[in-house]
Amino acid sequence: MKIIMLGAPGAGKGTQAEMIAEKYHLPHVSTGDIFRANIKNGTELGKEAKSYMDQGLLVPDELTVKILMDRVSQEDCKNGYILDGFPRNIPQAEVLDKALAELGDKIDHAIDMEVPDERIIRRMVGRRACVSCGATYHVENVPPKKEGICDKCGDALILRDDDREETVKNRLNVYHEQTQPLIEFYEKKGILKTVDGTKDMMDVFKEITEILA
Ligand code: AP5
Ligand code: MG
Ligand code: ZN
């Protein structure tokens, strides 16, 4: 099963992708997490990606597409995967489609998580992220058992550099201009499913599992 998570920054794509990954034993593939891991490790890719991410802009397709394609061609992705944060514009979606079509394959579900912009900022300011394993928390909604420490891997939690209010606003603009057109793109393919991302995260998860069942 191949799933795409769509939705604005802070809609809960990462939160739900992690839960789906656990339940269905599929790898959670997040381009944002891959970039952040590279930033943490000080790689060239990380340096280049950071210059875009800190402004709330998309990292150029030349970099992003190659990384994603390398990742999904690994052994653990052969029975499917959950894409979180990719594709983020029509050209990326077309590259993915074409690559899958060449293998006689396709995406099964594109799940759009709807959350209005005004809810997003509140979520981002309280978010804490683990750079080692990608787990996401919220100081009020989803606190870790021990403050500042990841429940899953024990590493330190960070406030993402791009979660400042100004940057979040830029990310929302980029989302509406470049990413939102994907909703129509997948609707035309007949694989779009919409969920209400403002609900409690377990209720959102329940809606998603009903779609995937
Ligand atoms: P990326 O890491 O993908 O960020 P994003 O899309 O902006 O999304 P977020 O991770 O901010 O939000 P999310 O939807 O995962 O929400 P979360 O589950 O954390 O990308 C970062 C940057 O990398 C981009 O800006 C770009 O520069 C670059 N990039 C990445 N992919 C790219 C690509 N394909 N092409 C080009 N550039 C790319 O939830 C948010 C918060 O809310 C958390 O604190 C969570 O605990 C809480 N929460 C979740 N669900 C609920 C709920 N139901 N109720 C209450 N709180 C909730
Ligand atoms: Mg995320
Ligand atoms: Zn962790």
Side-chain angles (χ1 to χ4, degrees), residues 90-151:
I90 301 275
Q92 290 182 8
E94 285 172 340
V95 172
L96 177 65
D97 253 20
K98 191 160 166 274
L100 287 173
E102 278 165 12
L103 302 168
D105 205 348
K106 61 175 176 39
I107 297 292
D108 301 291
H109 305 279
I111 301 175
D112 178 35
M113 307 188 52
E114 291 190 326
V115 179
D117 287 9
E118 54 275 16
R119 296 283 282 265
I120 299 285
I121 312 246
R122 269 188 275 156
R123 284 192 185 181
M124 302 302 228
V125 179
R127 171 163 61 187
R128 297 295 179 272
C130 175
V131 186
S132 295
C133 76
T136 302
Y137 303 84
H138 189 282
V139 287
E140 284 156 20
N141 307 338
V142 195
K145 292 198 184 83
K146 212 170 146 201
E147 196 186 321
I149 304 290
C150 178
D151 291 350

Side-chain angles (χ1 to χ4, degrees), residues 142-178:
V142 195
K145 292 198 184 83
K146 212 170 146 201
E147 196 186 321
I149 304 290
C150 178
D151 291 350
K152 302 218 167 79
C153 75
D155 218 328
L157 300 177
I158 59 149
L159 177 65
R160 275 169 47 176
D161 286 340
D162 59 349
D163 279 352
R164 284 175 300 122
E165 189 164 338
E166 267 315 297
T167 315
V168 172
K169 285 182 181 153
N170 288 343
R171 286 161 63 197
L172 282 169
N173 287 336
V174 168
Y175 169 75
H176 291 302
E177 276 170 28
Q178 303 192 44

Side-chain angles (χ1 to χ4, degrees), residues 14-137:
T15 302
Q16 296 297 329
E18 249 179 70
M19 292 195 277
I20 302 168
E22 207 166 298
K23 181 171 163 96
Y24 295 89
H25 308 288
L26 293 171
H28 168 198
V29 176
S30 157
T31 37
D33 286 351
I34 295 172
F35 289 139
R36 281 184 289 279
N38 275 275
I39 292 171
K40 189 187 178 202
N41 295 328
T43 69
E44 275 311 308
L45 168 71
K47 280 178 205 148
E48 180 150 13
K50 186 170 168 45
S51 66
Y52 296 94
M53 290 167 76
D54 283 354
Q55 299 177 69
L57 301 173
L58 295 188
V59 176
D61 289 351
E62 301 84 78
L63 285 177
T64 310
V65 167
K66 181 170 184 313
I67 282 165
L68 189 276
M69 289 305 172
D70 285 350
R71 178 66 190 90
V72 297
S73 58
Q74 286 169 23
E75 184 63 18
D76 65 329
C77 286
K78 72 176 193 308
N79 293 325
Y81 42 77
I82 307 147
L83 298 184
D84 159 17
F86 188 99
R88 240 186 169 84
N89 56 28
I90 301 275
Q92 290 182 8
E94 285 172 340
V95 172
L96 177 65
D97 253 20
K98 191 160 166 274
L100 287 173
E102 278 165 12
L103 302 168
D105 205 348
K106 61 175 176 39
I107 297 292
D108 301 291
H109 305 279
I111 301 175
D112 178 35
M113 307 188 52
E114 291 190 326
V115 179
D117 287 9
E118 54 275 16
R119 296 283 282 265
I120 299 285
I121 312 246
R122 269 188 275 156
R123 284 192 185 181
M124 302 302 228
V125 179
R127 171 163 61 187
R128 297 295 179 272
C130 175
V131 186
S132 295
C133 76
T136 302
Y137 303 84

